[in-house]
Amino acid sequence: VLYLVDLSSYMLRAYHAIGPLASPSGEPTHVVHGTVSMLERLLRERRPELFAVPMDSGRETFRKQIFDGYKAHWPPAPDDLRSQMARCEAVIRGFNVPVLEGDAGVSHPRPGIEGEAEIPERAVRECTFAHASPRQIPRARAVWTTGPFTSTA
């Protein structure tokens, strides 16, 4: 089974679910703590054979090229969340978890795709690669997760 983890979803969930925690120096840590806890639970309980994290690289996406106002109404991420996002990504890379950067042009033929959009597209490609027909994809063995509960693709 291939597990594709939406790290942004994990981080946002941890940010809103866990009260503020900080290191002795005052650096916020609750997002990192919650995200790592959810990832550890996933690995411990599900024992995925294959595991990867699709991510954005921060470059302009194809959606922004199509519609200039894409995400224009979104408020900026709070400072305490933004600082921990980089730390969570460092933890993922430090554990040598494969990172699929959709807009790098290597893992996806369409440059500019965002991490969360990479999840279903990658699941479909992996299922297709495993010779599953489009009708079989709902039963194929690729899973994406945005938390302790998973969705099959």
Side-chain angles (χ1 to χ4, degrees):
V1 174
L2 167 63
Y3 277 74
L4 300 172
V5 174
D6 183 351
L7 189 64
S8 295
S9 176
Y10 273 42
M11 291 185 292
L12 286 171
R13 187 176 185 162
Y15 182 77
H16 293 290
I18 299 174
L21 298 172
S23 69
S25 65
E27 178 183 358
T29 59
H30 60 291
V31 173
V32 177
H33 171 73
T35 300
V36 169
S37 294
M38 285 186 277
L39 288 170
E40 285 179 332
R41 179 177 175 194
L42 171 73
L43 294 171
R44 183 179 61 252
E45 292 180 6
R46 302 293 179 151
R47 299 193 180 276
E49 299 166 25
L50 301 168
F51 177 74
V53 176
M55 283 191 203
D56 303 338
S57 70
R59 296 186 199 111
E60 186 173 277
T61 66
F62 76 93
R63 291 180 177 137
K64 177 77 171 163
Q65 293 170 354
I66 293 170
F67 176 60
D68 193 45
Y70 179 63
K71 292 188 179 181
H73 66 283
W74 287 27
D79 290 339
D80 62 335
L81 172 59
R82 194 174 27 250
S83 66
Q84 293 180 81
M85 291 168 82
R87 179 78 55 155
C88 288
E89 184 176 339
V91 168
I92 291 294
R93 292 184 188 277
F95 279 111
N96 293 320
V97 172
V99 174
L100 310 174
E101 292 184 290
D103 57 359
V106 175
S107 69
H108 196 281
R110 217 174 14 151
I113 193 164
E114 296 169 300
E116 69 267 11
E118 175 77 7
I119 292 172
E121 291 201 25
R122 175 63 67 138
V124 168
R125 272 186 288 138
E126 295 299 330
C127 291
T128 302
F129 181 74
H131 308 292
S133 73
R135 288 185 179 168
Q136 293 171 317
I137 287 174
R139 283 174 250 138
R141 295 178 47 128
V143 176
W144 74 87
T145 177
T146 58
F149 302 102
T150 56
S151 301
T152 303

